[in-house]
Amino acid sequence: MQHIMETIRKTEQEFIDIRHQIHQHPELGFEEHKTSDLVASKLAEWGYEVHRGLAKTGVVGVLKNGTSDKKIGIRADMDALPIIEASGKPWSSQTHGKFHGCGHDGHTTILLCAAKYLAETRNFDGTLHVIFQPAEELLYGGKVMVDDGLFKQFPCDVIFGIHNMPGFKEGHFYFKSGALMASSDTIHIKIKGKGAHGAMPERGIDATLVACYIGTALQSIVSRNVSPFEQAVITIGCIQSGEAPNVVNSDALMKLTVRALDNDTRALLLKRISEVATAQAESFGASVQIEHVNGSPVLHNGADATKFAFDVAQKLVGEDRVHDNCHPFMGSEDFAFMLESNPNGCYMIIGNGDEPGFCSVHNPGYDFNDNCIVTAAAYWVALTETYLSK
């Protein structure tokens, strides 16, 4: 498979330039108009059948060759984050407050690079679907694509996705069958009490105090309701209540993120959050309104697809650069919706580099490692050619 890597390396600078172009013009979820225009124009130029409109800004390229009815799907995410960049790179974001701080510019470029090679060589027999998804950072762009008919219009026997990861060795591949990334649920708890003067608290029902008690009680769920053998997180990221020091507030708002690596544990967490918050509020004479803002399931890799993907990676880069013991992440990925709809698939990790002082994703100083483009693109090619072998 070395010829794949050698051929793609000849186009490395072309795709580094594309990655930098995307990085300089970041777009948030469902607003990826320029990015999807770029993707669509490149795919059309290379001979793909281009489809647009799924999940507003999604793009799907279809390339058929030969007579086989086998079909493979490969997905990349396109959206940026609402963060002010501080990487100091010459190709830094030109849009204040928006930034490719998770490497989706790299993921998009990698798939474009592979798509060009596959269109030029056509060394496969079957159908390739390259899927460019919006709004992963919102954790439901993948769901919208599926709901809009992704797999009905573009059926896939197997589907794959990848994410770069700082702190992991550059260009190494990491796999895990089963649960790899946690579910994610955003919960808002609105507390209704009774306002009063801060000097006369007995005349009110203090929503701020209720929020404090709810916050403390919620921490008992993981420690006392979830098995020690299961992994779960309940984080209260925001409490909003009042502005003045001499007011007993009638309202408070709590915003939570909830994570689990098992769907039964996820259901337990959501049930207990509602029960605990309601009971705590009632004990003070207050009430709560609980809103499930959004949620994505556990990302669960199929065993057969993971083994296949692992074996191809070993043949491409060697056994010493491929690892099957990747520890699960409590971070989340809405590729989980695609795997939920089409379980024969695998999401994997490529190392972004573990040099001292590496910068994590979602950090203002982060930047995708351009050295990964050739390796990851060659991997998508190898995966496609192996699955759709002539």
Side-chain angles (χ1 to χ4, degrees):
M1 293 183 177
Q2 283 306 305
H3 70 281
I4 299 174
M5 197 90 73
E6 292 167 2
T7 302
I8 289 179
R9 194 166 296 282
K10 296 175 183 178
T11 66
E12 182 175 24
Q13 190 57 51
E14 173 189 353
F15 286 95
I16 288 176
D17 291 344
I18 288 174
R19 205 280 290 183
H20 292 178
Q21 178 184 348
I22 296 172
H23 189 93
Q24 287 180 309
H25 304 283
E27 298 171 298
L28 302 181
F30 298 123
E31 299 174 3
E32 306 93 338
H33 301 291
K34 291 181 181 178
T35 307
S36 61
D37 285 346
L38 172 64
V39 168
S41 66
K42 292 294 183 182
L43 293 178
E45 176 186 335
W46 301 329
Y48 282 78
E49 180 185 301
V50 178
H51 300 264
R52 306 185 67 174
L54 270 75
K56 297 182 180 179
T57 50
V59 181
V60 179
V62 180
L63 189 66
K64 298 180 181 179
N65 195 60
T67 59
S68 172
D69 60 359
K70 295 182 71 175
K71 303 174 182 67
I72 185 173
I74 303 176
R75 171 268 203 178
D77 38 19
M78 300 187 293
D79 59 321
L81 285 159
I83 296 175
I84 299 173
E85 181 171 6
S87 70
K89 297 295 176 68
W91 50 85
S92 291
S93 170
Q94 296 181 3
T95 305
H96 184 75
K98 299 178 183 179
F99 161 50
H100 271 292
C102 201
H104 297 184
D105 52 338
H107 304 164
T108 295
T109 302
I110 289 164
L111 187 50
L112 283 174
C113 183
K116 182 179 182 181
Y117 178 99
L118 288 161
E120 291 177 344
T121 58
R122 298 186 183 243
N123 184 31
F124 64 91
D125 185 11
T127 301
L128 167 65
H129 294 135
V130 287
I131 302 163
F132 294 85
Q133 180 210 303
E136 187 281 328
E137 295 295 354
L138 300 178
L139 284 179
Y140 63 90
K143 182 181 188 303
V144 178
M145 284 202 89
V146 172
D147 290 347
D148 281 356
L150 175 64
F151 294 125
K152 292 179 181 178
Q153 295 182 49
F154 311 101
C156 300
D157 306 325
V158 64
I159 186 164
F160 298 97
I162 200 167
H163 203 294
N164 80 96
M165 191 59 64
F168 287 52
K169 293 186 180 299
E170 178 187 302
H172 284 227
F173 292 90
Y174 299 82
F175 297 85
K176 185 185 184 303
S177 181
L180 175 65
M181 301 187 77
S183 61
S184 176
D185 293 279
T186 298
I187 306 295
H188 288 183
I189 302 174
K190 298 178 181 178
I191 302 162
K192 186 66 177 178
K194 181 181 177 182
H197 194 291
M200 294 171 277
E202 74 281 3
R203 296 185 181 181
I205 299 174
D206 190 347
T208 307
L209 181 63
V210 175
C212 292
Y213 272 83
I214 290 175
T216 300
L218 290 179
Q219 301 311 311
S220 71
I221 296 173
V222 172
S223 66
R224 289 298 176 265
N225 298 140
V226 176
S227 167
F229 298 103
E230 297 293 338
Q231 292 174 277
V233 173
I234 297 175
T235 293
I236 304 164
C238 174
I239 299 178
Q240 300 172 354
S241 185
E243 296 181 3
N246 60 344
V247 173
V248 171
N249 295 299
S250 61
D251 298 279
L253 172 64
M254 306 175 70
K255 298 180 180 181
L256 285 61
T257 187
V258 183
R259 312 289 173 116
L261 280 169
D262 174 81
N263 283 322
D264 289 340
T265 302
R266 178 193 184 196
L268 171 64
L269 293 175
L270 297 178
K271 176 175 178 289
R272 288 297 293 144
I273 287 170
S274 178
E275 292 172 346
V276 168
T278 300
Q280 285 291 315
E282 288 177 349
S283 72
F284 287 91
S287 62
V288 292
Q289 177 185 340
I290 300 172
E291 179 186 2
H292 184 260
V293 178
N294 60 52
S296 60
V298 176
L299 187 148
H300 196 279
N301 284 328
D304 292 343
T306 303
K307 184 180 185 307
F308 171 76
F310 177 83
D311 291 344
V312 172
Q314 284 192 324
K315 292 175 183 177
L316 179 68
V317 299
E319 294 183 4
D320 60 327
R321 296 179 64 190
V322 182
H323 313 272
D324 65 352
N325 58 347
C326 186
H327 196 276
F329 299 91
M330 294 310 289
S332 304
E333 234 293 345
D334 76 348
F335 188 68
F337 286 109
M338 295 189 183
L339 289 174
E340 186 178 57
S341 178
N342 191 345
N344 189 24
C346 176
Y347 193 73
M348 62 214 78
I349 301 298
I350 183 169
N352 199 61
D354 63 345
E355 71 286 348
F358 72 85
C359 193
S360 181
V361 294
H362 290 227
N363 183 300
Y366 164 85
D367 189 36
F368 178 82
N369 186 345
D370 288 327
N371 292 334
C372 294
I373 293 174
V374 170
T375 304
Y379 177 66
W380 282 150
V381 170
L383 202 68
T384 301
E385 291 186 349
T386 304
Y387 187 75
L388 300 178
S389 58
K390 289 186 175 181

